[in-house]
């Protein structure tokens, strides 16, 4: 408005001064080419732009001017005109003219278009044409004598203002259409009473009323409805998104550079705001009562995003309908930076107080009473499927950045999670922030009344967030733990003792499981691997002849091995190393009553999948049953080429050479010879030898 009035004032002042003089002396010259040229030259000297018009109408009593089709040229011939107007009408008071003062009773502009350009230095305003020193020296003494200007009323009807903002990239064009404005009492010192309304080409309507001075002091109420925010996106920087429609009211009082009061009551509809890793989609309400300059506002604010979806970096998604509110106060920090104090927030059922301190090392503090995690897996995708419940409490949690420091406590008062396809796990204890690390405090996992102690720490908080966890369990029910953590119900029975030391990274390019490293020692007392007899599986894998050999042994009066095929064990012992998320062992031993299995290879954590090699060592009773004497003899050891599948459903592979050697040493051909005669027995032996691919001793 101020720029528009300046342009209009200069144009009107030049035209009216010339016209008044011409009317008093020679009314007939106002339509002459010479007069038009003189007006154009005078305007170009004052504005640095050429001024043209269609027709001029003039009355002396009262002095009034009507100018049709007025045009103020643009910055170049290729640029659009600075101002185009269908009709400019001015009514002036007669007596002040005698004192070389132009007092305008009314100034009306209709059907006009004003084209402006904004650069890094501000809005470009036409200025007087510069003159050389010689030309200035030859000016008459009264050359700068002109008319002072005061305007009682200004009326704008159907005025379009186009502002091309080149201070951002890409440039943004703001087009204000159909402006209607009424201003009263325009002067350099006194406030102007005005009201206006307009539409934005990009969408939305704006209206306002109040007082404003040319010096920038305002007392205005501005109302806006369905204003499109897409053009504002360019001012937010790269990587940001802003869309939607804004409606509400702004009341501003005081100097524009340092407002005494700025009251905002606005609502964003169908909005989308994204900045860095944060995104808000939907409707948001904002109420603020501020003061101060645009760069450092102070005061209170209240934001309600309950009806919006709030997302953060794929780790958090609040659906519409869940509470999301924050109230606080913008304050000045000790170092002059802007901070936020007295914050009261609520996200779903998580509510508390907080503060934010700006400056070189921003600091955030949070205090929140215990809240139940039930349903929070819908907001945190990483928790999906765990059916969380139970209270969590934040006690004087303080976070600082560059470098990252965390202090305070997070207390888990029996938080329960139901693991997929398993039973519930309860977490008790606390995490304590000590500055550059986070330490556990009496932290325990309780599953089916089986307790696992965890001594954990997090370090390198500002980068990869590395963790270390020492775990231990004593005489825990192996079946309950396997059911809970490995979804293997009624697979292993016995009392388990475990000690583990694990390390890894929680943040970074690789998933945490791939960074996991460490070791664990596992011991299980007498128990069962339900339905698993590695001895029977081994005989059954002797190229399909294990059962035939046992059957032949029975027919020929040999031993019955069925009693040795039980699934009960005396002990399980293993030492495991974890490297890049893969479990390796060279020391997994399962001790059965009459034999022992030693295995080495890899084990998958999530499904107990195995890929191992090993050896079965016969015990005294089993060796004697098979007719073996010396337990140290290699004949009492069966080497397993590969054991795959899972611990609860293994697959055993034995090479033909091993099978042949073992069965040959069992003397089945000799027993067949005694029972059936040498000829028939020899044929049975030859049959076994041919099928096994080895040689049977006779």
């Amino acid at each position: 408005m101020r720029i528009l009035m300046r342009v209009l004032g200069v144009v009107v002042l030049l035209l009216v001064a010339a016209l008044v003089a011409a009317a008093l002396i020679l009314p007939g010259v106002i339509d002459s080419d010479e007069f038009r040229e003189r007006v154009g030259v005078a305007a170009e000297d004052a504005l640095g732009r050429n001024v043209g018009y269609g027709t001029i109408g003039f009355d002396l009593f009262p002095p009034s001017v009507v100018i049709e089709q007025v045009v103020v040229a643009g910055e170049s011939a290729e640029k659009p005109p600075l101002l185009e107007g269908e009709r400019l009408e001015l009514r002036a008071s007669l007596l002040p003219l005698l004192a070389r003062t132009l007092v305008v009773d009314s100034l009306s502009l209709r059907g006009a278009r004003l084209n402006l350009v904004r650069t890094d230095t501000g809005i470009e305003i036409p200025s007087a044409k510069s003159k050389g020193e010689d030309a200035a020296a030859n000016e008459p003494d009264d050359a700068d004598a002109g008319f002072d200007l005061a305007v009682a009323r200004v009326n704008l009807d159907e005025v379009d203002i186009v502002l091309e903002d080149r201070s951002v990239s890409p440039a943004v064009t703001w087009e204000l259409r159909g402006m209607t404005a009424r201003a009263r009492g325009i002067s350099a010192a006194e406030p102007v009473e005005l009201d206006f309304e307009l539409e934005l080409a990009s969408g939305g309507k704006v209206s306002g009323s109040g007082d404003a001075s040319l010096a920038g002091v305002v007392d205005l109420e501005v109302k806006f409805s369905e204003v499109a925010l897409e053009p504002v996106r360019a001012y937010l920087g790269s990587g940001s998104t802003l869309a939607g429609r804004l409606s509400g009211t702004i009341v501003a009082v005081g100097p524009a550079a340092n407002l005494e009061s700025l009251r905002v009551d606005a609502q964003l509809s169908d909005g989308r705001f994204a900045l860095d890793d944060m995104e808000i989609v939907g409707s948001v309400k904002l109420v603020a009562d501020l003061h101060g300059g645009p760069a450092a506002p102070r005061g209170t604010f209240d934001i309600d995003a309950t009806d919006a979806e709030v997302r953060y970096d794929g780790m958090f998604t609040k659906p519409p309908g869940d509470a999301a509110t924050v109230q606080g106060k913008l304050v000045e920090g000790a170092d002059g930076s802007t901070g936020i104090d007295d914050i009261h927030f609520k996200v779903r059922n998580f509510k508390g107080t907080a503060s934010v301190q700006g400056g070189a090392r921003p600091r955030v503090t949070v205090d929140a009473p215990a809240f139940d995690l039930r349903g929070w897996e819908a907001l945190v995708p990483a928790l999906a499927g765990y059916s969380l419940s139970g209270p969590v409490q934040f006690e004087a949690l303080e976070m600082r950045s560059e470098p990252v420091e965390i202090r305070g406590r997070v207390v888990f008062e029996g938080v329960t999670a139901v693991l997929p396809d398993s039973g519930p796990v309860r977490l008790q204890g606390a995490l304590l922030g000590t500055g550059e690390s986070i330490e556990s405090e009496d932290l325990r996992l309780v599953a089916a009344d089986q307790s696992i102690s965890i001594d954990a720490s997090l370090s390198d908080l500002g980068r990869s967030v590395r963790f270390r966890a020492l775990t231990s369990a004593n005489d825990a029910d192996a079946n309950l733990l396997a059911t809970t953590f490995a979804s293997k119900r009624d697979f292993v029975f016995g009392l388990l003792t475990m000690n583990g030391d694990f390390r890894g990274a929680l943040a970074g390019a690789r998933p945490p499981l791939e960074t996991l490293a460490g070791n664990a020692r596992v011991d299980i007392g007498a128990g069962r691997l339900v339905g698993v007899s590695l001895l029977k599986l081994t005989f059954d894998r002797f190229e399909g002849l294990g059962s035939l050999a046992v059957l032949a042994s029975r027919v020929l009066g040999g031993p019955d091995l069925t009693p040795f095929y039980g699934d009960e064990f005396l002990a399980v012992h293993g030492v495991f190393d974890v490297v890049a998320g893969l479990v390796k062992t060279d020391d997994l031993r399962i001790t059965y009553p009459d034999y022992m299995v030693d295995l080495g290879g890899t084990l998958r954590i999530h499904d107990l999948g195995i890929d191992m090699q090993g050896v079965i060592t016969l015990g005294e009773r089993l060796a004697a049953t098979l007719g073996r004497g010396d337990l140290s003899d290699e004949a009492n050891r069966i080497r397993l080429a590969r054991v795959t599948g899972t611990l609860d459903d293994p697959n055993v592979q034995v090479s033909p050479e091993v099978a042949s050697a073992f069965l040959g040493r069992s003397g089945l051909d000799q027993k067949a010879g005694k029972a059936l005669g040498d000829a028939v027995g020899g044929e049975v032996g030859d049959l076994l030898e041919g099928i096994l691919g080895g040689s049977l001793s006779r």
Side-chain angles (χ1 to χ4, degrees):
M1 177 69 73
R2 181 181 180 185
I3 297 170
L4 178 60
M5 296 312 304
R6 176 174 177 176
V7 174
L8 291 176
V10 173
V11 174
V12 171
L13 183 61
L14 291 169
L15 292 176
V16 172
L19 287 172
V20 169
L24 293 175
I25 300 172
L26 190 60
V29 303
I30 60 177
D31 281 331
S32 68
D33 292 339
E34 181 182 358
F35 180 78
R36 290 175 181 270
E37 183 179 352
R38 293 184 63 184
V39 169
V41 171
E44 187 171 358
D45 287 342
L47 285 174
R49 306 286 177 88
N50 180 263
V51 176
Y53 57 90
T55 61
I56 297 179
F58 177 77
D59 288 323
L60 186 57
F61 300 103
S64 60
V65 180
V66 176
I67 308 174
E68 304 282 353
Q69 304 301 323
V70 61
V71 178
V72 179
E75 57 183 334
S76 67
E78 293 77 20
K79 299 295 182 180
L82 174 65
L83 175 68
E84 295 178 284
E86 293 180 3
R87 179 183 177 90
L88 176 63
E89 182 177 350
L90 179 147
R91 289 176 180 260
S93 297
L94 182 59
L95 290 179
L97 291 175
L98 302 177
R100 305 184 67 79
T101 299
L102 179 58
V103 177
V104 178
D105 286 334
S106 66
L107 174 63
S108 299
L109 181 63
R110 187 182 67 197
R113 181 182 179 90
L114 179 65
N115 296 291
L116 300 172
V117 174
R118 179 175 185 260
T119 64
D120 292 334
T121 58
I123 295 178
E124 296 180 350
I125 302 176
S127 58
K129 185 177 181 181
S130 62
K131 300 179 180 181
E133 294 181 0
D134 294 339
N138 294 328
E139 287 288 343
D141 293 340
D142 60 350
D144 60 350
F147 284 88
D148 294 329
L149 177 64
V151 183
R153 294 186 301 276
V154 174
N155 300 320
L156 304 179
D157 292 294
E158 296 300 319
V159 174
D160 295 343
I161 300 177
V162 178
L163 173 63
E164 182 185 0
D165 192 348
R166 300 175 185 171
S167 66
V168 295
S169 181
V172 177
T173 298
W174 295 92
E175 185 173 351
L176 285 58
R177 293 178 175 173
M179 173 186 281
T180 299
R182 304 289 180 265
R184 293 165 290 280
I186 298 177
S187 70
E190 299 299 323
V192 179
E193 182 183 350
L194 60 87
D195 58 77
F196 66 90
E197 60 182 31
L198 57 89
E199 292 187 5
L200 294 167
S202 54
K205 297 181 178 181
V206 180
S207 63
S209 62
D211 297 334
S213 73
L214 297 181
V217 180
V218 299
D219 185 356
L220 284 175
E221 179 180 12
V222 179
K223 297 180 180 179
F224 42 95
S225 175
E226 301 291 311
V227 173
L229 294 181
E230 177 63 26
V232 183
R233 185 189 61 80
Y235 299 89
L236 300 180
S238 60
S240 61
T241 300
L242 182 63
R245 303 185 305 276
L246 192 67
S247 302
T249 303
I250 296 177
V251 179
V253 178
N258 189 19
L259 290 171
E260 299 171 7
S261 174
L262 178 65
R263 174 75 178 177
V264 181
D265 190 343
Q267 178 167 346
L268 175 64
S269 301
D270 298 326
R272 184 179 181 186
F273 171 71
L275 183 63
D276 296 328
D277 297 326
M278 175 70 75
E279 185 176 17
I280 300 176
V281 179
S283 298
V284 180
K285 298 176 182 177
L286 168 65
V287 176
D289 194 352
L290 308 172
H291 62 274
R298 305 288 184 259
T300 62
F301 64 89
D302 187 337
I303 301 174
D304 188 345
T306 297
D307 294 330
E309 182 176 359
V310 181
R311 308 169 187 157
Y312 179 74
D313 195 27
M315 297 186 297
F316 173 86
T317 300
K318 182 205 77 70
D322 278 4
T325 61
V326 58
Q327 303 90 37
K329 181 186 297 183
L330 297 174
V331 297
E332 182 177 359
D335 58 355
S337 62
T338 298
I340 310 177
D341 202 4
D342 197 25
I343 299 174
H344 293 263
F345 65 86
K346 182 177 182 180
V347 180
R348 209 168 190 269
N349 61 330
F350 175 36
K351 58 183 179 180
T353 60
S355 66
V356 178
Q357 175 183 296
R361 294 194 65 202
R363 181 182 68 182
V364 178
T365 60
V366 178
D367 247 311
F371 68 99
D372 198 310
L373 285 177
R374 188 179 304 277
W376 271 79
E377 61 270 19
L379 283 70
V380 182
L383 304 178
Y386 289 97
S387 300
L388 291 174
S389 63
V392 173
Q393 181 175 351
F394 291 82
E395 296 181 352
L397 190 63
E398 177 182 312
M399 295 165 283
R400 304 196 70 165
S401 63
E402 302 302 332
V404 174
E405 290 185 14
I406 298 179
R407 301 183 186 277
R409 297 174 79 237
V410 179
V411 182
F412 304 96
E413 300 178 1
V415 172
T416 299
V418 179
L419 302 181
D421 303 320
S422 302
V425 175
R426 188 169 69 254
L427 182 64
Q428 293 179 310
L431 295 176
L432 177 65
T434 61
E436 297 181 355
S437 66
I438 299 174
E439 309 291 338
S440 63
E441 197 175 70
D442 298 326
L443 199 62
R444 300 189 311 279
L445 274 179
V446 181
D449 296 327
Q450 309 301 306
S451 180
I452 300 177
S453 298
I454 301 176
D455 184 4
S457 64
L458 300 176
S459 60
D460 201 13
L461 301 179
R463 296 183 178 88
S464 60
V465 189
R466 303 198 63 80
F467 71 89
R468 182 177 183 181
L470 304 175
T471 62
S472 63
N474 294 308
D475 292 335
D477 189 313
N479 178 46
L480 294 178
L481 294 182
T483 300
T484 301
F485 293 107
S487 303
K488 301 293 185 180
R489 184 181 301 276
D490 296 334
F491 147 60
V492 57
F493 291 88
L495 297 181
L496 177 143
T497 297
M498 179 189 67
N499 291 282
D501 183 353
F502 302 102
R503 301 171 301 281
L506 293 179
R510 293 190 299 166
L513 189 60
E514 292 185 8
T515 70
L516 187 65
N519 57 79
R521 177 188 175 97
V522 176
D523 290 284
I524 304 177
R528 293 175 61 200
L529 283 171
V530 177
V532 176
S533 171
L534 290 176
L535 182 68
K536 183 177 186 302
L537 288 173
T538 300
F539 285 158
D540 287 347
R541 295 301 183 269
F542 278 175
E543 295 295 325
L545 293 176
S547 296
L548 175 60
V550 173
L551 176 62
S553 178
R554 291 178 183 174
V555 172
L556 301 175
D560 181 9
L561 300 181
T562 303
F564 299 99
Y565 289 163
D567 57 13
E568 295 182 353
F569 58 79
L570 299 179
V572 174
H573 165 82
V575 176
F576 302 92
D577 291 318
V578 181
V579 180
L582 184 64
V583 179
K584 298 181 178 181
T585 181
D586 292 323
D587 188 23
L588 175 58
R589 170 171 288 184
I590 306 174
T591 303
Y592 289 90
D594 293 291
Y595 63 97
M596 181 170 58
V597 182
D598 289 292
L599 296 171
T602 61
L603 169 70
R604 294 193 302 268
I605 297 176
H606 66 280
D607 64 352
L608 298 184
I610 55 177
D611 188 354
M612 298 182 176
Q613 293 179 324
V615 60
I616 295 178
T617 302
L618 305 183
E620 183 177 355
R621 191 164 71 99
L622 178 57
T625 301
L626 291 173
R628 310 299 174 84
D630 186 1
L631 291 179
S632 63
D633 190 342
E634 183 64 23
N636 291 316
R637 297 167 61 85
I638 306 173
R639 296 196 175 276
L640 308 179
R642 195 175 183 191
V643 181
T644 58
T646 61
L647 277 180
D648 60 335
D649 187 18
N651 296 314
V652 177
Q653 298 178 20
V654 182
S655 68
E657 292 78 11
V658 170
S660 174
F662 184 85
L663 291 179
R665 290 173 179 174
S666 297
L668 293 182
D669 58 333
Q670 298 176 9
K671 295 176 182 176
K674 292 180 180 179
L676 303 176
D678 290 339
V680 178
E683 292 177 1
V684 173
D686 292 339
L687 174 64
L688 290 174
E689 180 179 4
I691 296 177
L692 290 173
S695 62
L696 301 176
S697 59
R698 298 185 178 176

